[in-house]
Amino acid sequence: MPSPAPPALAPHSNVLVSPGYLAGPGDSRSIFDTLDHAPGWAKTIAFGTDTYYTSPCQRVRVANALESFYGGWTITYAEDPLGVPDWITTFDRNTPNEIVAAFTEILVDGLHNNFADYLSGGPHYTGISPASLTARHRWEAVRGTRPFRTVSPDGHAAYRMADGWLHEYDELLTPEKSTWRMSAGPDPVHTPSWRAFFSRYTPQHLITASAAAFTDPTPVPRALDQIPDRHRSLVSIVRADTTGPGPRAAAALARSTQAQAIHVPPPLAAPISLATHVGSRRQR
């Protein structure tokens, strides 16, 4: 059951909030830190507010354009650096930072060898899919819906898979048409508080990293006034341990290049796969 904020706490007090997908965007420093310290990545500040990163291979572009339509983070990959992107991922400005950070950590860590370490046979390959993660956390598949989706036990988060034929360039141009979507809020399907979009060829292990953070029930650290007002009645809030950060708070402050988001407990049941994601369409 959701709990009100502990009494006598100042607005800037540090608290732990669950579920994390309703905690608000939080502090994005962990995302910037990952990209700022990525070897060989270039950083540009434009218009005094927007931040852009480019990978050493020139294939990945990461944008944090505050005043754009979605705000948040947009990430593209193009096997031909001067060509049309093979895939695009968009996290809007209200997406919890843990979900974005999980994606960017694996992106930076695996790009140097085209993610070979995370593919079948690689040392970091898990075989876990977003669908198996939602299944083990008891998310419910909503049958008969188009597009197909699974919904969290509290009904305030959804993972959606679009079906039917869609020209791949349509989802590159219009994130709402993306094959995969995460969202959360009082009504996560029709009026979500935040959305994350993944086009069809976004590598599965990157989506899985975000899905692990998305479905993780562990409370996340926030300042009390960072929790969206419309979520206050839907979350549980406890005072943060003043003796030191909890496991997830510590992870947010000192993340390794091996993003722990994809290291999850053994499944409760056989994994359920909605579909098989693939990497770049040119690598099939």
Side-chain angles (χ1 to χ4, degrees):
M1 290 292 291
S3 63
L9 285 182
H12 298 294
S13 297
N14 293 322
V15 295
L16 296 175
V17 186
S18 60
Y21 48 73
L22 296 178
D27 193 333
S28 60
R29 281 180 296 179
S30 62
I31 306 166
F32 282 105
D33 285 347
T34 293
L35 296 167
D36 286 342
H37 295 95
W41 285 60
K43 178 181 181 179
T44 301
I45 305 294
F47 313 112
T49 57
D50 299 344
T51 306
Y52 298 87
Y53 294 91
T54 306
S55 66
C57 63
Q58 304 295 305
R59 293 174 176 172
V60 174
R61 305 285 192 273
V62 180
N64 180 240
L66 297 182
E67 301 304 321
S68 64
F69 182 79
Y70 294 102
W73 297 85
T74 298
I75 302 162
T76 64
Y77 174 92
E79 188 168 313
D80 175 359
L82 297 179
V84 175
D86 293 87
W87 56 262
I88 182 170
T89 291
T90 302
F91 300 95
D92 75 18
R93 58 176 51 84
N94 295 317
T95 304
N97 71 84
E98 292 83 4
I99 295 172
V100 185
F103 188 100
T104 55
E105 287 163 1
I106 299 296
L107 174 71
V108 168
D109 185 57
L111 184 62
H112 70 283
N113 62 359
N114 210 23
F115 309 116
D117 290 345
Y118 292 90
L119 302 179
S120 181
H124 304 312
Y125 175 72
T126 66
I128 297 170
S129 70
S132 66
L133 287 170
T134 59
R136 73 181 56 184
H137 288 294
R138 308 302 188 192
W139 288 39
E140 181 179 355
V142 183
R143 304 296 178 182
T145 57
R146 294 177 66 89
F148 177 82
R149 62 180 179 271
T150 59
V151 178
S152 61
D154 64 4
H156 300 311
Y159 179 67
R160 187 199 75 176
M161 181 188 75
D163 54 3
W165 184 87
L166 178 68
H167 195 289
E168 61 184 291
Y169 293 141
D170 288 344
E171 58 180 345
L172 295 178
L173 294 171
T174 308
E176 285 88 349
K177 294 182 179 180
S178 293
T179 299
W180 314 94
R181 187 183 90 169
M182 298 175 190
S183 59
D187 181 350
V189 176
H190 300 104
T191 56
S193 299
W194 64 265
R195 297 173 296 174
F197 304 99
F198 308 85
S199 67
R200 184 187 320 172
Y201 294 108
T202 305
Q204 175 175 274
H205 68 278
L206 295 178
I207 304 177
T208 299
S210 284
F214 183 36
T215 58
D216 188 350
T218 308
V220 298
R222 292 289 187 273
L224 185 60
D225 59 1
Q226 291 179 329
I227 305 169
D229 289 341
R230 67 194 298 242
H231 295 174
R232 291 294 183 95
S233 64
L234 306 176
V235 298
S236 294
I237 304 170
V238 298
R239 187 191 302 269
D241 183 0
T242 57
T243 63
R248 192 159 177 178
L253 296 173
R255 296 183 183 273
S256 67
T257 55
Q258 302 295 329
Q260 61 184 356
I262 62 171
H263 297 293
V264 293
L268 299 173
I272 299 173
S273 179
L274 296 179
T276 300
H277 298 258
V278 296
S280 165
R281 61 178 180 272
R282 298 171 190 161
Q283 298 170 356
R284 290 181 292 172

